[in-house]
Amino acid sequence: MADGFIAVEDTAKGSEAEEFARKGFPIPTVEGIEFCKAHTFDDPRITGILESSFEWSGLGMFTVLHPFPGCAHNFFIEKSTLQGLMVQIWSRGSQAIYFKKSHQLRIQPSSVHDGMFEVPHQQLAKGSDPVTIDLKEGGL
């Protein structure tokens, strides 16, 4: 976690993400909330990180992110005192780009999209190294 991210290839998560996508990402439904809970609080890999990092935790916001070449997504701005963990569920064949230690940078978002702040890769690259992760089978 020192780099600010963890990636785990997981065939089951990849398949479940694809099935959820086929249903149109029904997040604001009972099925959607159950999906989100199953992939956060019911997953011991996630709860282990949450319990070792925070005194308490809760579900905050769920959204579907689509590719935005050249931008990273962030959910906090520089002056925020909140701490959070973003759990991303990747379908098979996904590729993610994370920036090592970018969680320690003071960044300014360029715009807001889908409730998330966007940060250009150029801004992150000034103080962080990009890491490309291929999730051939999907995962977290």
Side-chain angles (χ1 to χ4, degrees):
M1 223 23 202
D3 286 336
F5 63 89
I6 295 172
V8 178
E9 195 158 11
D10 184 320
T11 304
K13 296 283 187 205
S15 297
E16 291 167 17
E18 288 174 5
E19 179 61 26
F20 197 62
R22 275 192 286 279
K23 293 178 179 180
F25 301 106
I27 292 173
T29 66
V30 171
E31 180 183 8
I33 296 300
E34 287 174 354
F35 176 88
C36 295
K37 182 178 173 288
H39 295 286
T40 53
F41 291 124
D42 292 347
D43 188 320
R45 296 171 294 190
I46 303 300
T47 55
I49 293 168
L50 290 171
E51 290 168 359
S52 68
S53 302
F54 305 108
E55 288 183 27
W56 67 273
S57 57
L59 298 175
M61 177 183 89
F62 287 91
T63 189
V64 177
L65 298 177
H66 299 283
F68 289 93
C71 283
H73 291 92
N74 183 10
F75 55 99
F76 290 119
I77 56 174
E78 181 180 337
K79 295 181 176 24
S80 176
T81 59
L82 296 174
Q83 293 182 328
L85 173 73
M86 181 185 298
V87 176
Q88 297 175 318
I89 304 162
W90 297 92
S91 60
R92 289 181 289 205
S94 294
Q95 184 179 72
I97 301 173
Y98 293 105
F99 287 80
K100 282 187 176 184
K101 301 184 189 287
S102 62
H103 62 295
Q104 297 171 345
L105 299 176
R106 294 198 173 274
I107 54 177
Q108 289 297 318
S110 62
S111 63
V112 177
H113 177 79
D114 289 343
M116 302 287 286
F117 296 104
E118 292 180 3
V119 181
H121 285 180
Q122 304 92 306
Q123 189 176 353
L124 292 171
K126 291 178 183 175
S128 181
D129 295 323
V131 175
T132 300
I133 299 172
D134 290 311
L135 295 155
K136 292 179 182 87
E137 296 300 320
L140 298 168

